[in-house]
């Protein structure tokens, strides 16, 4: 198409062209001939370039397909959380490597019971973590949150319960320097308690067992703060039926610090035997009413014996020796108006007879003494309490000597003086 236009004005960048019907068209002046000025008439031919148009459209569609293939078919994968191992106070969690597709990673966070526990460092390289300091036999809920430039992705919630003290399946042992027989017995003990044995130190290794602190694996265990114990620790766990402390099982620990028990089965049997023994003793032992109103249990040999006024200790000792002894209080000092030698003479109580005839004879022999004291002997008075003939004016009773306590010596002169003063003497059947 050929069009004739009249140049109206020419500027540095734009020229104003006029059509025949007086329409204004702005046209780049750089496309006009250099000698054009106002009033000049120019002819412009306009045509469509189909080949160039087709090529441009093809390039544009190819670009759209490339963008869709690169960014539209693949998206970041949602992380999948798993429990690798659980013990009484710790949990080891793991997940698959993060797949971001064409997106950019922003953060990867771990949540515990709905609260953020922390961000995972280097999430493109690390695929597991260990959480310690948990409560025993408690359930926890964990999940991961992945944030990328393509959006936020949350994993499924994982329910994990820590073990009881008697659950030893979470123990993972790595052996170190051990003799061959000891290593073999260690493997058997770990298998019996339900634990696992791995050859290298891993994140889920709970204990490093060895007899000598050396080697590459020992260095890794020390670096990861894993307890290094002796093989006796596994045997202690098997014997006790529960996890035991490691303080007494370190390589340089004192063996006396180990708290060795009888085991769960033996403890239950021992407790049952003690309960049965106590029940049988209660059935066989009668109860005795003491002077203070309380009940005292005696053996079968003392049943039916008059033990009033006798202390439990004395009764027990008398049961063993075949004699019945009574307690007495220290002698009362003599009155000031009496002679000193009279105070040194001991007072002997009447025999613990149970018949009325013996008591009447003793009353006749000691009648003079009781007349001086002004006290009458009463049958209801305890037989281990008598009034001393030399303690006139005093009312404190005197008890017979107690077994194991040495009695004061009585010579012949004191005995004769006692008889001459009107006292009475009778041998005591012990």
């Amino acid at each position: 198409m050929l069009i004739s236009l009249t140049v109206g004005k020419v500027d540095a960048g734009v020229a104003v062209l006029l059509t025949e019907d007086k329409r204004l068209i702005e046209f780049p002046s750089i496309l006009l001939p250099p000698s054009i000025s106002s009033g000049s008439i120019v002819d412009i031919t306009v045509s469509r370039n189909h080949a160039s148009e087709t090529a441009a459209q093809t390039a544009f569609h190819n670009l759209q397909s490339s963008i869709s293939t690169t960014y539209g078919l693949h998206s970041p994968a949602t992380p999948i959380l798993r429990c690798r191992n659980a013990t009484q106070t710790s949990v080891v969690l793991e997940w698959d490597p993060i797949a971001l597709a064409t997106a950019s990673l922003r953060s990867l966070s771990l949540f515990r019971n709905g609260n953020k526990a922390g961000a995972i460092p280097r999430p493109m390289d690390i695929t597991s973590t260990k959480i310690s300091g948990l409560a025993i036999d408690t359930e926890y809920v964990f999940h991961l949150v992945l944030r990328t430039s393509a959006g936020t992705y949350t994993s499924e919630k994982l329910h994990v319960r820590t073990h009881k003290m008697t659950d030893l399946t979470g123990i993972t042992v790595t052996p170190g320097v051990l003799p061959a027989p000891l290593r073999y017995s260690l493997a058997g003990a770990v298998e019996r308690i339900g634990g696992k044995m791995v050859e290298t130190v891993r994140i889920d290794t709970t204990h490093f067992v060895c007899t000598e602190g050396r080697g590459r694996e020992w260095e890794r265990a020390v670096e990861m703060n894993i307890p290094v114990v002796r093989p006796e620790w596994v045997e202690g766990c098997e014997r006790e039926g529960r996890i035991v402390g490691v303080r007494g099982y370190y390589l340089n620990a004192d063996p006396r610090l180990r708290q060795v028990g009888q085991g769960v089965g033996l403890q239950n049997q021992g407790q049952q035997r003690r309960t049965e023994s106590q029940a049988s003793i209660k059935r066989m032992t009668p109860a005795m009413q003491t002077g203070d109103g309380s009940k005292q249990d005696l053996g079968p040999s003392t049943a039916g014996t008059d033990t009033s006024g006798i202390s439990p200790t004395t009764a027990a000792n008398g049961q063993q020796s075949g004699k019945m002894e009574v307690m007495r209080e220290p002698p009362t000092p003599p009155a000031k108006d009496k002679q000193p030698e009279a105070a040194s003479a001991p007072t002997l109580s009447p025999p613990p007879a149970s018949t009325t005839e013996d008591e009447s004879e003793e009353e006749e022999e000691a009648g003079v003494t009781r007349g001086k004291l002004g006290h009458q002997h009463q049958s209801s008075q305890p037989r281990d309490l008598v009034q001393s003939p030399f303690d006139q004016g005093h009312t404190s009773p005197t008890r017979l000597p107690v077994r194991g306590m040495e009695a004061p010596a009585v010579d012949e002169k004191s005995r004769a003086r006692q008889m001459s003063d009107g006292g009475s003497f009778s041998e005591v059947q012990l």
Side-chain angles (χ1 to χ4, degrees):
M1 175 184 290
L2 180 61
I3 300 174
S4 297
L5 301 173
T6 302
V7 179
K9 180 182 177 182
V10 179
D11 290 334
V14 178
V16 179
L17 304 178
L18 300 174
T19 63
E20 294 180 354
D21 53 357
K22 309 303 179 183
R23 297 178 180 273
L24 299 178
I25 298 175
E26 293 182 353
F27 194 82
S29 58
I30 192 174
L31 298 178
L32 296 176
S35 60
I36 293 300
S37 61
S38 297
S40 300
I41 297 175
V42 295
D43 294 334
I44 299 176
T45 301
V46 179
S47 61
R48 183 178 179 180
N49 192 341
H50 294 278
S52 299
E53 184 179 345
T54 302
Q57 290 180 353
T58 302
F60 177 78
H61 287 295
N62 292 338
L63 178 61
Q64 293 287 349
S65 299
S66 176
I67 293 174
S68 177
T69 303
T70 305
Y71 299 98
L73 298 181
H74 301 282
S75 60
T78 301
I80 300 175
L81 188 62
R82 297 185 299 272
C83 178
R84 183 171 181 176
N85 189 30
T87 64
Q88 282 72 17
T89 58
S90 64
V91 171
V92 177
L93 304 176
E94 64 178 1
W95 54 90
D96 296 332
I98 300 300
L100 298 176
T102 57
S104 300
L105 176 64
R106 294 182 178 176
S107 66
L108 178 63
S109 304
L110 177 66
F111 285 75
R112 180 179 66 187
N113 294 338
N115 300 321
K116 185 177 180 180
I120 305 299
R122 296 182 294 116
M124 300 302 297
D125 302 328
I126 297 177
T127 59
S128 61
T129 184
K130 183 176 182 179
I131 303 175
S132 304
L134 303 180
I136 300 174
D137 192 19
T138 305
E139 184 176 286
Y140 294 90
V141 181
F142 299 94
H143 70 276
L144 288 173
V145 175
L146 175 64
R147 292 183 175 88
T148 66
S149 58
T152 302
Y153 301 87
T154 304
S155 68
E156 296 290 338
K157 293 184 178 180
L158 176 65
H159 296 261
V160 180
R161 190 175 192 89
T162 53
H163 291 178
K164 299 180 180 179
M165 294 298 293
T166 56
D167 189 354
L168 306 179
T169 58
I171 296 178
T172 303
V173 173
T174 298
V177 178
L178 291 171
L182 196 57
R183 189 186 185 96
Y184 179 78
S185 63
L186 175 64
V190 171
E191 182 179 358
R192 286 192 297 270
I193 65 177
K196 298 184 292 293
M197 187 180 228
V198 294
E199 296 299 327
T200 59
V201 176
R202 307 183 309 190
I203 189 173
D204 58 338
T205 299
T206 58
H207 298 82
F208 186 84
V209 180
C210 65
T211 56
E212 299 180 15
R214 58 186 177 89
R216 182 173 176 272
E217 296 299 328
W218 172 78
E219 294 177 355
R220 290 189 59 191
V222 173
E223 181 181 356
M224 297 176 63
N225 199 23
I226 296 175
V228 180
V229 297
R230 297 183 59 84
E232 290 80 2
W233 178 82
V234 180
E235 298 175 358
C237 293
E238 181 183 6
R239 179 179 59 254
E240 297 293 328
R242 63 180 182 86
I243 189 168
V244 299
V246 298
R247 181 180 179 184
Y249 296 91
Y250 290 133
L251 297 182
N252 56 351
D254 188 357
R256 292 176 295 182
L257 298 177
R258 302 172 184 173
Q259 299 179 357
V260 180
Q262 297 181 350
V264 178
L266 296 179
Q267 288 179 1
N268 295 337
Q269 295 178 3
Q271 183 66 22
Q272 184 177 2
R273 291 176 181 175
R274 286 193 296 269
T275 304
E276 295 177 355
S277 176
Q278 292 176 0
S280 62
I281 290 175
K282 290 182 178 180
R283 290 194 301 268
M284 296 175 59
T285 305
M288 183 195 73
Q289 186 74 18
T290 59
D292 57 354
S294 61
K295 291 185 177 181
Q296 175 68 30
D297 291 342
L298 296 178
S301 61
T302 62
T305 305
D306 185 10
T307 57
S308 60
I310 302 176
S311 63
T313 306
T314 307
N317 294 335
Q319 179 184 352
Q320 297 178 1
S321 61
K323 299 179 180 181
M324 190 68 68
E325 299 178 359
V326 296
M327 295 182 61
R328 74 174 185 87
E329 296 179 355
T332 307
K336 296 182 179 179
D337 56 349
K338 297 300 178 180
Q339 297 180 0
E341 60 270 15
S344 61
T347 300
L348 300 177
S349 62
S354 60
T355 61
T356 309
E357 290 79 7
D358 294 339
E359 293 179 358
S360 61
E361 293 176 1
E362 293 171 4
E363 291 177 358
E364 292 176 0
E365 293 176 358
V368 179
T369 304
R370 293 193 180 91
K372 295 180 182 180
L373 298 176
H375 295 280
Q376 296 296 332
H377 180 74
Q378 300 178 1
S379 59
S380 61
Q381 182 179 1
R383 298 191 179 99
D384 61 338
L385 300 177
V386 297
Q387 183 68 33
S388 173
F390 305 101
D391 295 343
Q392 298 181 6
H394 297 275
T395 59
S396 61
T398 303
R399 297 181 182 271
L400 288 178
V402 181
R403 163 185 253 183
M405 182 184 296
E406 184 176 358
V410 181
D411 54 2
E412 297 296 333
K413 293 181 179 182
S414 299
R415 192 185 305 275
R417 187 182 298 110
Q418 177 184 2
M419 298 298 295
S420 63
D421 290 342
S424 61
F425 172 79
S426 297
E427 293 185 357
V428 179
Q429 297 293 336
L430 299 181

